Amino acid sequence: MNRHLIKIIIILLTSKITSCDYKKEDLIGEWNVAELSEYPLSITNYDHARLDKNSKLVIRKNGKLDFYLKDKLTESYSYYLEDNDLVMVYSDYGIPLDIIKLSSKELILETGGFGNTELERNRKIRIELKK
């Protein structure tokens, strides 16, 4: 085999091994807020999908993403998985939350800002959750 072909095969195998699509079963459960990029944090620019220090996110088998503050349900959205994104269905569009890390005890999500202004669009959102 020539060197060029071997390099291509190694790159393809490496990319296949390092790419990871998460399973819904791995996300199901109650996740408590450990750290947020800002307090309080609203995923949307309309003060919806709000998280704070005493919040938790419950990801359900039935495709619901529930937001709790001090054990009180405040909001509920549908969600689906697409590649390495947990996509929250908000109004008539999906907000992709990139799954940065997922283990049995930790979930880290990131996304960009959404909105009409450049400041809103340049906003970086990071959500660190623990079971």
Side-chain angles (χ1 to χ4, degrees), residues 102-114:
L102 175 61
S103 69
S104 61
K105 303 238 182 228
E106 185 177 27
L107 172 60
I108 299 175
L109 303 169
E110 289 184 350
T111 192
F114 303 91

Side-chain angles (χ1 to χ4, degrees), residues 70-120:
K70 297 180 182 175
D71 293 321
K72 181 181 179 196
L73 178 65
T74 55
E75 299 173 84
S76 186
Y77 299 95
S78 296
Y79 76 89
Y80 61 91
L81 291 179
E82 186 173 275
D83 299 323
N84 289 333
D85 291 340
L86 171 67
V87 180
M88 182 180 93
V89 179
Y90 179 75
S91 186
D92 58 347
Y93 62 93
I95 297 175
L97 302 168
D98 300 329
I99 301 170
I100 303 303
K101 182 176 181 183
L102 175 61
S103 69
S104 61
K105 303 238 182 228
E106 185 177 27
L107 172 60
I108 299 175
L109 303 169
E110 289 184 350
T111 192
F114 303 91
N116 298 324
T117 69
E118 189 173 334
L119 180 65
E120 290 171 329

Side-chain angles (χ1 to χ4, degrees), residues 33-41 51-53 126-128:
V33 167
E35 190 170 329
L36 301 171
S37 55
E38 57 191 67
Y39 291 91
L41 182 136
L51 294 168
D52 209 339
K53 291 178 184 173
R126 183 174 174 97
I127 304 166
E128 295 185 25

Side-chain angles (χ1 to χ4, degrees), residues 3-93:
R3 284 184 168 171
H4 187 63
L5 184 58
I6 290 172
K7 285 180 182 178
I8 291 172
I9 290 171
I10 290 171
I11 290 169
L12 289 173
L13 287 174
T14 304
S15 68
K16 192 67 173 172
I17 291 169
T18 57
S19 72
C20 176
D21 292 340
Y22 297 103
K23 296 179 185 164
K24 187 176 181 178
E25 298 80 33
D26 298 333
L27 291 164
I28 302 300
E30 286 188 18
W31 297 93
N32 297 302
V33 167
E35 190 170 329
L36 301 171
S37 55
E38 57 191 67
Y39 291 91
L41 182 136
S42 175
I43 295 174
T44 72
N45 288 326
Y46 303 103
D47 211 24
H48 296 143
R50 188 180 173 111
L51 294 168
D52 209 339
K53 291 178 184 173
N54 298 316
S55 294
K56 71 180 171 185
L57 199 57
V58 178
I59 303 173
R60 303 195 184 278
K61 253 190 247 188
N62 66 358
K64 289 293 180 185
L65 185 63
D66 295 338
F67 289 76
Y68 284 83
L69 180 58
K70 297 180 182 175
D71 293 321
K72 181 181 179 196
L73 178 65
T74 55
E75 299 173 84
S76 186
Y77 299 95
S78 296
Y79 76 89
Y80 61 91
L81 291 179
E82 186 173 275
D83 299 323
N84 289 333
D85 291 340
L86 171 67
V87 180
M88 182 180 93
V89 179
Y90 179 75
S91 186
D92 58 347
Y93 62 93

